[in-house]
Amino acid sequence: MCRRATKLSQMQDAFNPGPLVSKMELNKFYLDTSFARTGDCYSDFVCNLSLQLADSTEVFQHKLFIGHPGCGKTTELYQLMQKTKDMDFIVCLGRCDLELDSADIEYTDVLFLILDLLVRAAEENAVELEEDLVNGIYDYWEQEIETVETYANQSDVTVSGEIKGETGFLRLMKVLAQVKGVIKNSSDSRKEIRRYIEPKRSDLVSRIQDVIDVISRKSEESGKKKIPLIILDGLDKIPLEQARKIFRENGSRFSALNAHLIVTFPIALTYTPEYSDIQTWFPNPEKLPMIKLKKWEGDKYAENYEEGVNTMRQMVEKRAELRLFETDVLNELIKNTGGYIRDLFRCITRAALRARIRSADAISMDDAIIALDNLESDINGRYGSRMIPIMKEIYDGDKYVSSSDEMTQLLQIGAVLEYNGQRWCDLHPLVEKWLKEHGKIN
């Protein structure tokens, strides 16, 4: 996305649900939403964390970053990356959901990705890795090249042959790229690589730390921040059982790294017994709450609370001219998507497409209602009847997020949304609407 929509034909690009990634996109379209999320204008995630990192010259910050999928975490992480780069940190950001197989991830895959990210960051920042270090890492993966050749197709074998003709840093970059491709795309060789790594996992962590040490030393010598920053996005999207194994059973592997580490984490796991164990390895987690459209005070909603709606309108206005929405249409879309950025953008693009088919110049209320109906059908198909009693309790005023399995699932599927980061929640507006229409709540 590179321009603000001035006509409906530009709405698909303007409201692409993907994150803002480039510095240009962030400068044009990023909006500080901290007050609407937390009620405190000094709780901005990017500002707070960048200051923590700058002040941590001897302490390594290892943090979970928590929030609903689609609430804007990835954009915040790219904003953090740009800000910390401007502060002279060496930063590497990896998308575990894109660079690995998000349906099948183990901690060894994540460790490998960290190694790959650090080597790429060294190349990008002209940090020369000593020949012995490069050769040691290459030797570690030498057996894996043979594994790759065993399972990969002919084109991959050709690439491996090219690797053997390379020397030094370039050879290392290519072999890491090949192993990463196999970990993502080939389940058979992924299992073989894991089987090979498991008994040598301490060696892998040591090699990662060797790269960190070189980056730290040479960064300090060149006047940059001493401690590199590693950001891992996408681990909030993986199956919960895999997340448990990565963070609880193997969290110590990551806490051993002498670098700053920010990792996204499934919000549903924050309401489980093992969450306190996980915080042993990742203390002081950071949350990105939903943008709240209502303010719950004591036992009722505050009157005349407009901050959330106004913030969502500002976010939309950064991306499109508001004349592309007929009167009250945008408010209807905002009100029924509960401060959920991804859901709002989904409804806007669907409604805009219907308006285009009608050869209209703006989104009508009918366009918006049909888009919302589609989303309503989707969300309400994600849970079963056994979930309705707990949703009725929430509707009746029990807004405290419990640690039940039902609540964990409802948070995971987005039927229940957490606000303020203080364990109060509410039904997604379209879930509430459906339950009312079908006589489940009143």
Side-chain angles (χ1 to χ4, degrees):
M1 180 183 63
C2 60
R3 61 180 174 179
R4 184 170 179 254
T6 58
K7 52 187 178 180
L8 290 179
S9 61
Q10 297 168 343
M11 297 289 265
Q12 303 300 316
D13 287 339
F15 292 94
N16 183 312
L20 301 175
V21 173
S22 70
K23 195 167 188 176
M24 181 188 70
E25 287 178 333
L26 290 164
N27 288 339
K28 289 181 68 174
F29 303 113
Y30 179 78
L31 180 69
D32 177 6
T33 59
S34 55
F35 186 68
R37 293 182 189 272
T38 67
D40 177 16
C41 61
Y42 299 109
S43 294
D44 175 60
F45 164 75
V46 173
C47 290
N48 273 276
L49 192 50
S50 59
L51 284 174
Q52 287 182 56
L53 294 169
D55 292 347
S56 300
T57 57
E58 302 297 332
V59 174
F60 307 108
Q61 295 287 347
H62 290 176
K63 286 183 173 288
L64 305 175
F65 186 35
I66 301 161
H68 286 277
C71 74
K73 293 191 304 301
T74 303
T75 290
E76 294 291 321
L77 290 175
Y78 274 104
Q79 178 78 344
L80 176 66
M81 181 178 71
Q82 294 296 341
K83 189 174 183 66
T84 48
K85 279 186 174 181
D86 291 342
M87 296 165 63
D88 286 331
F89 280 91
I90 288 184
V91 187
C92 49
L93 188 154
R95 299 281 302 276
C96 297
D97 52 333
L98 301 180
E99 299 190 66
L100 300 172
D101 182 353
S102 58
D104 179 19
I105 292 180
E106 293 190 1
Y107 81 96
T108 50
D109 307 338
V110 181
L111 286 172
F112 170 79
L113 180 59
I114 289 174
L115 174 62
D116 181 58
L117 289 170
L118 288 166
V119 170
R120 282 187 276 161
E123 192 273 337
E124 178 185 333
N125 291 274
V127 174
E128 184 178 353
L129 302 179
E130 288 88 348
E131 185 176 351
D132 287 348
L133 174 57
V134 170
N135 289 337
I137 297 172
Y138 179 81
D139 290 344
Y140 181 91
W141 293 106
E142 188 169 20
Q143 181 174 326
E144 298 321 292
I145 297 174
E146 297 175 3
T147 300
V148 167
E149 289 179 346
T150 301
Y151 289 95
N153 60 33
Q154 185 60 44
S155 63
D156 287 331
V157 173
T158 301
V159 172
S160 180
E162 293 173 358
I163 289 173
K164 292 180 178 178
E166 299 288 357
T167 59
F169 196 85
L170 182 59
R171 178 178 68 165
L172 176 61
M173 293 279 287
K174 285 189 174 183
V175 73
L176 291 179
Q178 184 176 5
V179 174
K180 184 176 69 175
V182 172
I183 288 175
K184 178 179 180 180
N185 298 312
S186 174
S187 59
D188 287 337
S189 54
R190 184 187 309 137
K191 292 174 183 176
E192 286 298 310
I193 289 173
R194 288 171 179 167
R195 184 182 61 80
Y196 169 75
I197 292 175
E198 184 61 33
K200 300 172 61 176
R201 58 186 181 276
S202 297
D203 193 17
L204 175 58
V205 172
S206 295
R207 294 183 188 279
I208 293 171
Q209 189 56 56
D210 289 342
V211 178
I212 292 173
D213 290 344
V214 173
I215 291 174
S216 296
R217 185 176 71 253
K218 296 194 175 182
S219 294
E220 190 173 30
E221 290 171 357
S222 64
K224 290 180 176 289
K225 294 290 191 295
K226 176 182 177 181
I227 304 174
L229 169 61
I230 304 164
I231 301 172
L232 295 179
D233 187 27
L235 288 175
D236 57 314
K237 301 180 179 71
I238 67 175
L240 295 185
E241 283 308 310
Q242 292 184 5
R244 286 184 172 96
K245 290 180 181 178
I246 290 171
F247 290 103
R248 186 181 184 224
E249 297 176 20
N250 296 285
S252 61
R253 317 292 179 195
F254 304 100
S255 67
L257 300 178
N258 293 338
H260 298 314
L261 179 63
I262 313 297
V263 187
T264 56
F265 183 77
I267 189 170
L269 283 186
T270 64
Y271 299 106
T272 60
E274 55 262 51
Y275 183 49
S276 60
D277 296 335
I278 292 168
Q279 288 188 68
T280 301
W281 317 120
F282 296 90
N284 304 316
E286 300 283 344
K287 279 192 176 183
L288 189 70
M290 302 295 293
I291 295 173
K292 60 180 181 290
L293 305 186
K294 300 176 182 179
K295 187 176 182 181
W296 185 255
E297 293 182 333
D299 59 354
K300 63 181 179 179
Y301 295 110
E303 295 182 3
N304 303 316
Y305 179 74
E306 299 292 336
E307 181 64 35
V309 172
N310 291 338
T311 298
M312 298 298 281
R313 285 182 65 86
Q314 292 172 39
M315 187 178 296
V316 171
E317 192 170 12
K318 274 184 168 284
R319 294 173 179 249
E321 293 185 2
L322 296 187
R323 63 175 178 79
L324 298 175
F325 300 86
E326 291 184 4
T327 305
D328 294 331
V329 167
L330 181 55
N331 280 350
E332 185 72 10
L333 289 167
I334 292 172
K335 179 183 71 175
N336 283 285
T337 48
Y340 209 148
I341 297 170
R342 182 176 63 187
D343 283 357
L344 176 62
F345 285 12
R346 168 180 168 175
C347 288
I348 287 174
T349 54
R350 181 174 287 272
L353 188 60
R354 185 177 188 274
R356 288 265 289 145
I357 293 172
R358 295 189 300 105
S359 300
D361 296 323
I363 297 172
S364 70
M365 189 62 76
D366 283 345
D367 298 326
I369 288 172
I370 288 175
L372 289 166
D373 285 347
N374 180 271
L375 178 60
E376 178 183 336
S377 176
D378 182 7
I379 294 176
N380 288 290
R382 299 174 190 170
Y383 59 84
S385 58
R386 69 183 181 88
M387 301 293 183
I388 293 176
I390 193 170
M391 291 191 285
K392 185 178 186 303
E393 290 177 7
I394 294 170
Y395 175 74
D396 288 340
D398 186 4
K399 307 296 186 183
Y400 182 78
V401 181
S402 71
S403 299
S404 67
D405 291 340
E406 290 82 4
M407 180 63 79
T408 299
Q409 184 175 339
L410 289 169
L411 287 166
Q412 187 76 356
I413 64 177
V416 170
L417 306 176
E418 183 198 286
Y419 296 97
N420 262 65
Q422 297 173 352
R423 294 183 72 98
W424 86 265
C425 65
D426 217 340
L427 300 180
H428 191 295
L430 295 177
V431 171
E432 181 178 316
K433 176 175 176 287
W434 188 91
L435 292 173
K436 283 182 176 179
E437 290 174 347
H438 290 79
K440 308 297 183 182
I441 59 177
N442 49 54

